[in-house]
């Protein structure tokens, strides 16, 4: 039986802040990739052309990965939390030495958003919003029906009601 369309539950402001931080970090990475591309094309690469090209591809790929994580976080998915966590840990690995190395403003610009994002990743409203509730999966057509949760598990009587177990074999 189809479920009625329920209005989407409002997203918590903490999720909006987390997504904004993640998308801003993605934009910065893509911006650096563009900078590397311009410098490489102008012949002003600080490293070898191969090294600059590798850095460009790495920054662009990581930026795209982080942007998709932000988009899927906004949709309430569970998997982007781990992607965002890894990105924040990378940011801390870069930001703390930058901060302690004397580049204070840039260090704080890297460390503070990472710390806020780390806190928000484990905030209860963000966790609740990114659990992928059954209602949202039902609306997307992934639950219920023949391929939803429990479709291949037998009912309490050990069969699927037609005398077969979950894989279609006849039971005695």
């Amino acid at each position: 039986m189809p479920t009625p369309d329920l209005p989407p539950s409002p997203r918590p402001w903490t999720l909006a802040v987390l997504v904004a931080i993640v998308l801003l970090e993605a934009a910065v990475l893509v911006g650096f990739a563009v900078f590397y591309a311009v410098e490489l094309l102008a012949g002003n690469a600080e490293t070898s052309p191969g090294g600059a090209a590798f850095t460009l591809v790495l920054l662009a790929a990581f930026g795209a990965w982080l942007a998709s994580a932000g988009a899927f976080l906004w949709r309430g998915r569970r998997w982007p939390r781990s992607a965002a966590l890894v990105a924040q840990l990378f940011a801390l690995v870069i930001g703390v030495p930058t901060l302690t190395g004397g580049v204070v403003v840039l260090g704080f610009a890297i460390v503070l958003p990472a710390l806020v994002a780390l806190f928000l990743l484990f905030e209860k409203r963000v966790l609740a919003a990114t659990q992928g509730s059954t209602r949202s999966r039902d609306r997307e057509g992934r639950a219920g029906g023949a391929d939803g949760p429990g479709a291949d598990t037998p009912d309490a009587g050990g069969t699927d009601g037609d005398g077969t177990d979950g894989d279609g074999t006849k039971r005695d």
Side-chain angles (χ1 to χ4, degrees):
M1 172 186 321
T3 58
D5 285 338
L6 300 171
S9 59
R11 293 175 180 97
W13 68 270
T14 51
L15 179 63
V17 171
L18 175 62
V19 168
I21 290 171
V22 169
L23 291 178
L24 179 64
E25 290 170 338
V28 168
L29 289 171
V30 170
F32 276 118
V34 169
F35 171 77
Y36 265 85
V38 169
E39 290 297 306
L40 185 63
L41 291 174
N44 298 332
E46 292 288 326
T47 63
S48 68
F54 175 76
T55 303
L56 172 126
V57 170
L58 190 65
L59 287 169
F62 193 46
W65 174 67
L66 202 52
S68 70
F72 281 101
L73 265 173
W74 186 247
R75 293 179 186 168
R77 299 299 191 275
R78 203 178 320 199
W79 69 265
R81 288 197 320 251
S82 59
L85 175 67
V86 168
Q88 304 321 308
L89 294 176
F90 280 144
L92 289 177
V93 166
I94 293 168
V96 170
T98 303
L99 185 64
T100 59
V103 189
V104 177
V105 174
L106 183 58
F108 274 125
I110 296 170
V111 169
L112 289 179
L115 290 175
V116 171
L118 281 171
F119 172 77
L120 291 175
L121 280 168
F122 298 101
E123 198 270 332
K124 66 180 180 178
R125 289 171 287 196
V126 170
L127 289 173
T130 57
Q131 290 300 314
S133 71
T134 304
R135 283 189 331 187
S136 66
R137 285 192 306 253
D138 281 346
R139 263 186 265 127
E140 295 172 9
R142 292 194 198 144
D147 59 350
D152 59 350
T153 55
D155 59 8
T159 64
D160 285 343
D162 62 354
T164 62
D165 55 13
D167 63 357
T169 57
K170 190 78 172 160
R171 289 193 58 148
D172 294 329

